[in-house]
Amino acid sequence: MCEELGFEKLLDEEGFFARLFGRAPSGARKDPLYGPDLPVVLLTGGPGMGKGRLLRAVRDRFAAKVPVIHLDCASPVYADRADPEPGARSATTEALVEVAGRLSTWQGTGGSFAFPRLFTGLAVIATGVAEGTPEAVATEAERYENLPQKQRLRGLATGDFWRGVLRGAIRNLLTTLSGQAFDPYSAAVSNALLDALFERLAPRGRAELERIYGAYPGAAGQPRIGLRILAADFRAGGEAREVAESFLFRALREDLEAAYAGPAGWLRRVGRPGLLLEHAEAPLGEQLLRAVLTDRRGGQRDRVVIVGTARRSDGGAFLHGGLPPREATPPAEYRPADGAPPAWSRRTDEGADRAPLADGVLLLRMPLLTGDQLRRETVRRQQRAEPEGGANRRRIDAAVARLSGGRPHTVIRLAAAAAAFRMPADANDRDILDAPLRLPGDDATERPVAEVLLRELVLDQLPVRLPTEHHAHWLDLLTHLSVAHDTECADVLLRHHQSGHVHHLTAHHVSRLLTDTGWPTCERHFIGDFGLRQLLVHRLYGLRPGGAAWYADHHLLRDHYAERAAGADTPGAGGAFRSRTAHRMNHHLVSGGADDVVSHLAATLPGRPREWCAELLEIAQAPYPGGADARRDRAQGLVPADGPPLRRTVDQLLHAVWLCEERTRPTGKETARTLAKLLDLLSIMDFDGAGLLSRTATDWSGLAENEQPLLRCTCTEQLRRRR
């Protein structure tokens, strides 16, 4: 996988990240963006948009020049490390210790970092070890022995007012209390540790602890009280523990700030340090983001560049103070295609200290690949020059573009699978999804690329808030929902496919989970991402022999709307459709009822051409099942059809429009000519309003010739913009 594909301008010498860190990958100084008040930068985009890939590329490009630490907030390793001593550790403290530990050995410009402020808080919560003895506390505190003091060359005097603090604290604790018996969390152990810490410090160090921990909530300026409350909050768990953990993150950033702010730091250090939070939508990542955003909103300033990932397009619900999306003020955003990064500043009015956390965020919208980037990636992976003037390669380029929508990860996987693949004659784009793919570093097993993509985009990126009991059948539910258009038909499918389950998801739940995961919405399709929907449609057709699962779902919806249409079928009653009848006909068309649909359309055309054309587009906006595709021949009149001229012409027109509206095969001039011919034929027939179809012939043929959708919706617009 090309780590920098699509991100070249963000990562280059004059790019966004060079300006953000204040130093280019070459080491050259750059005028830094923003500051002294920094926004938290969130990379927004759903699965496959390359958020993690970009973070890793930033780390690889910049970490040799500025101290940049990459942290995977979804990794179970931090909880695993905390598990042996849950009273003295947590996933958050273990993550902070890892960040500090890596920076304490950094060997770039200015040398390693020391974390005495963080160490002090960690040493105090070490008193919560299970045994509670001085020896156990000392053993726990010794885990952090490399944090409070910078690494020095042997024989070089430190002159550091933190020198010896750890060794002195542990020695005092053991000497004073060794051999005595204590209850867990004994005040005597805590007091002895605090005495040891403070008495070994030089005045400057003591003043720093007073400043930091005297500001702990409830400390009233008294650092010993602040440290005791911090330890008690940590032991209490829940929200109290989160307060303590957030304060420890502040202490870590204070240590970094101190390394830059003093005279030595100003002379020796270049740029800004960075913390890259992959999977920041996970609980650990959200807690760290909430902590730094709350501190900065309250006036706390530091120069640490925080870059996290966010699946939701608004950055995350926690940023908006509980406001529904329609009422929330969106954060500032940067789209790389727009050029230079935008200006950013925090609110300064009277309510700024109560503003939603989104006020402190800059959203970086992950870029889709351009048509040129996509073509270069497919060409790069071709194993040999293609015959026939490159016709197969151009067909593959078009299929990759449509199925991926420019989503980088999908492009990379499809391009790799298609490297030695030949598209069948008159192929549907979905045929490429059966191309075999062997992943780098994997065993010799080849799997269809569709299976790989569904694993990586869906199963490996389950919604954070998806209840555990639904994990096993999440992909199956989405597969069936690929044929749904709105919440009503989604709920019909969900009720059917969850029958017998104790716990049920509703369409509202699924829609919210998809939004939380970063998948876009569409007013005409419940699965609002075109590429994901095609993957799921492909899987649905293959679930059972002969596409039985496909037909069963469409029949279920057809019958549901047939019953609903038996009542009053008023305009707008069909949800995403103009009517329930149109909704029913859509599902009937794609489940074997084309002749019935033709009869309905032929009967309802006279006297209402404009409404009829709109209904025709809705009915024909549907995927085509697997197997042989006779639509082109039927549209051109090569398949014998019964009935009067009106019915035969409507039959041909329906199949021509269906070809255009499915959006998974080229249309071009041939289909455009067919559309124009058929609509012109209808326009000279003897029925009310026929002449109005002449204008439609011009409009539709022009769109088809340029591969444009006849009926626009959000997901087809996204597809159009990628061409």
Side-chain angles (χ1 to χ4, degrees):
M1 181 183 294
C2 181
E3 286 297 312
E4 297 183 6
L5 177 65
F7 304 143
E8 295 86 353
K9 290 184 178 180
L10 287 169
L11 297 168
D12 67 18
E13 291 286 301
E14 303 297 330
F16 175 76
F17 286 101
R19 295 283 311 281
L20 195 61
F21 289 120
R23 198 171 192 191
S26 66
R29 289 178 182 264
K30 295 294 175 183
D31 292 334
L33 278 172
Y34 316 124
D37 184 13
L38 286 176
V40 167
V41 176
L42 294 181
L43 313 180
T44 65
M49 286 303 297
K51 303 181 297 296
R53 187 164 58 91
L54 177 55
L55 284 189
R56 293 188 293 274
V58 170
R59 175 197 62 196
D60 295 342
R61 274 285 191 109
F62 290 89
K65 302 301 180 183
V66 288
V68 175
I69 301 299
H70 175 274
L71 199 69
D72 184 354
C73 298
S75 172
V77 67
Y78 307 114
D80 292 344
R81 292 174 187 170
D83 188 60
E85 286 289 355
R89 308 176 199 171
S90 69
T92 303
T93 62
E94 291 303 299
L96 296 178
V97 169
E98 178 167 316
V99 171
R102 291 192 210 169
L103 290 171
S104 70
T105 60
W106 194 69
Q107 297 301 311
T109 304
S112 60
F113 293 80
F115 296 90
R117 298 159 184 83
L118 173 64
F119 161 73
T120 302
L122 293 171
V124 171
I125 67 169
T127 59
V129 292
E131 292 184 28
T133 64
E135 290 83 356
V137 173
T139 300
E140 181 68 14
E142 283 172 348
R143 297 179 70 235
Y144 316 124
E145 63 181 339
N146 294 324
L147 300 186
Q149 185 176 338
K150 288 184 63 173
Q151 289 187 347
R152 303 286 184 172
L153 296 176
R154 183 176 298 176
L156 183 64
T158 67
D160 194 329
F161 58 78
W162 299 102
R163 177 163 52 94
V165 63
L166 175 64
R167 187 181 300 112
I170 300 303
R171 184 188 302 118
N172 270 4
L173 184 65
L174 290 174
T175 301
T176 305
L177 302 175
S178 181
Q180 301 182 38
F182 295 95
D183 296 329
Y185 317 133
S186 169
V189 176
S190 179
N191 288 337
L193 179 57
L194 290 174
D195 289 342
L197 285 169
F198 278 88
E199 74 181 23
R200 294 288 297 178
L201 289 177
R204 287 173 57 205
R206 192 175 298 116
E208 271 297 284
L209 288 191
E210 290 172 354
R211 182 182 68 83
I212 297 292
Y213 289 101
Y216 191 84
Q222 300 298 313
R224 291 173 183 261
I225 294 175
L227 285 162
R228 290 192 187 98
I229 298 174
L230 180 140
D233 284 349
F234 190 86
R235 291 194 297 269
E239 294 183 7
R241 173 172 282 198
E242 289 187 11
V243 172
E245 292 167 335
S246 298
F247 201 87
L248 291 173
F249 187 26
R250 179 194 296 187
L252 183 149
R253 300 196 313 275
E254 289 267 10
D255 282 320
L256 286 173
E257 184 65 17
Y260 281 83
W266 184 82
L267 290 171
R268 300 180 61 192
R269 298 194 183 276
V270 179
R272 293 165 170 160
L275 179 58
L276 311 178
L277 302 176
E278 188 170 359
H279 298 118
E281 69 279 352
L284 170 60
E286 183 175 315
Q287 182 182 351
L288 295 177
L289 292 177
R290 189 188 299 272
V292 68
L293 287 167
T294 301
D295 282 346
R296 290 179 179 176
R297 180 179 63 182
Q300 183 82 12
R301 297 290 176 258
D302 61 78
R303 71 190 71 206
V304 182
V305 171
I306 307 287
V307 183
T309 61
R311 292 180 178 181
R312 284 177 58 113
S313 61
D314 61 3
F318 77 99
L319 297 174
H320 303 284
L323 292 174
R326 62 184 177 275
E327 297 179 22
T329 301
E333 66 175 49
Y334 168 45
R335 295 180 182 273
D338 294 341
W344 180 89
S345 61
R346 190 182 301 276
R347 282 176 54 182
T348 57
D349 57 26
E350 186 176 342
D353 60 339
R354 300 183 302 278
L357 296 179
D359 188 45
V361 166
L362 174 65
L363 302 180
L364 194 163
R365 303 294 190 190
M366 294 298 293
L368 295 164
L369 295 185
T370 65
D372 287 342
Q373 289 171 325
L374 189 150
R375 283 186 285 274
R376 284 198 298 271
E377 180 65 10
T378 56
V379 168
R380 186 177 72 84
R381 293 177 180 273
Q382 294 298 307
Q383 293 182 341
R384 61 186 181 275
E386 295 294 339
E388 303 168 350
N392 181 64
R393 181 183 60 77
R394 288 193 295 272
R395 183 67 183 87
I396 285 175
D397 285 350
V400 172
R402 277 190 287 264
L403 290 179
S404 69
R407 192 173 293 268
H409 186 81
T410 308
V411 169
I412 290 166
R413 290 290 188 242
L414 290 176
F421 183 76
R422 289 196 63 82
M423 295 288 281
D426 194 32
N428 187 294
D429 291 347
R430 288 194 300 272
D431 291 336
I432 204 173
L433 297 177
D434 288 321
L437 177 66
R438 181 184 295 114
L439 294 179
D442 202 352
D443 57 21
T445 304
E446 288 185 333
R447 291 179 291 161
V449 65
E451 182 182 325
V452 173
L453 283 168
L454 287 171
R455 163 64 59 183
E456 294 175 331
L457 299 180
V458 178
L459 294 177
D460 290 347
Q461 302 195 52
L462 294 174
V464 173
R465 291 173 175 81
L466 178 67
T468 305
E469 59 267 21
H470 296 295
H471 285 192
H473 58 272
W474 177 245
L475 177 57
D476 285 338
L477 290 181
L478 293 187
T479 299
H480 292 294
L481 289 172
S482 65
V483 304
H485 297 94
D486 52 35
T487 56
E488 181 179 347
C489 53
D491 272 326
V492 171
L493 291 163
L494 287 168
R495 283 193 296 270
H496 177 76
H497 290 289
Q498 294 179 107
S499 61
H501 292 206
V502 175
H503 302 283
H504 283 205
L505 290 171
T506 67
H508 171 72
H509 294 144
V510 175
S511 179
R512 185 183 63 191
L513 291 167
L514 289 171
T515 298
D516 287 347
T517 309
W519 292 110
T521 59
C522 176
E523 66 277 15
R524 292 191 176 275
H525 302 93
F526 188 81
I527 302 295
D529 182 82
F530 182 85
L532 174 63
R533 190 167 67 251
Q534 299 307 314
L535 283 168
L536 294 169
V537 162
H538 180 77
R539 182 175 186 266
L540 176 63
Y541 193 82
L543 276 182
R544 289 160 55 190
W550 159 287
Y551 290 109
D553 281 342
H554 282 293
H555 289 161
L556 178 70
L557 293 171
R558 177 201 65 187
D559 295 346
H560 169 78
Y561 285 102
E563 294 176 6
R564 297 272 283 154
D569 194 11
T570 56
F577 290 75
R578 299 171 64 86
S579 66
R580 296 185 183 113
T581 298
H583 205 155
R584 173 172 64 90
M585 288 294 171
N586 173 276
H587 292 291
H588 196 28
L589 173 66
V590 299
S591 59
D595 289 337
D596 291 340
V597 174
V598 170
S599 297
H600 165 77
L601 288 171
T604 56
L605 170 57
R608 49 189 298 271
R610 288 194 179 91
E611 297 86 347
W612 184 86
C613 285
E615 184 178 72
L616 169 62
L617 293 182
E618 289 185 337
I619 292 172
Q621 191 181 55
Y624 191 78
D629 187 351
R631 287 179 298 173
R632 195 178 301 275
D633 287 347
R634 196 157 172 175
Q636 294 174 351
L638 303 178
V639 177
D642 297 329
L646 174 62
R647 190 185 189 286
R648 295 199 304 271
T649 306
V650 168
D651 187 319
Q652 291 179 243
L653 180 62
L654 169 64
H655 288 82
V657 172
W658 193 1
L659 277 169
C660 293
E661 289 303 271
E662 188 194 14
R663 314 296 299 146
T664 57
R665 64 179 63 242
T667 52
K669 293 182 179 180
E670 178 185 330
T671 306
R673 287 194 295 267
T674 300
L675 278 176
K677 173 186 173 182
L678 295 171
L679 285 164
D680 282 339
L681 281 174
L682 289 175
S683 72
I684 59 175
M685 289 186 180
D686 186 18
F687 60 83
D688 289 345
L692 296 176
L693 295 175
S694 181
R695 174 64 181 270
T696 304
T698 301
D699 294 343
W700 286 9
S701 62
L703 292 170
E705 184 171 350
N706 290 282
E707 303 282 350
Q708 300 296 311
L710 306 184
L711 178 61
R712 299 184 185 278
C713 62
T714 300
C715 64
T716 58
E717 279 294 283
Q718 292 171 345
L719 193 64
R720 182 181 68 86
R721 288 195 293 268
R722 301 305 339 133
R723 292 189 66 249

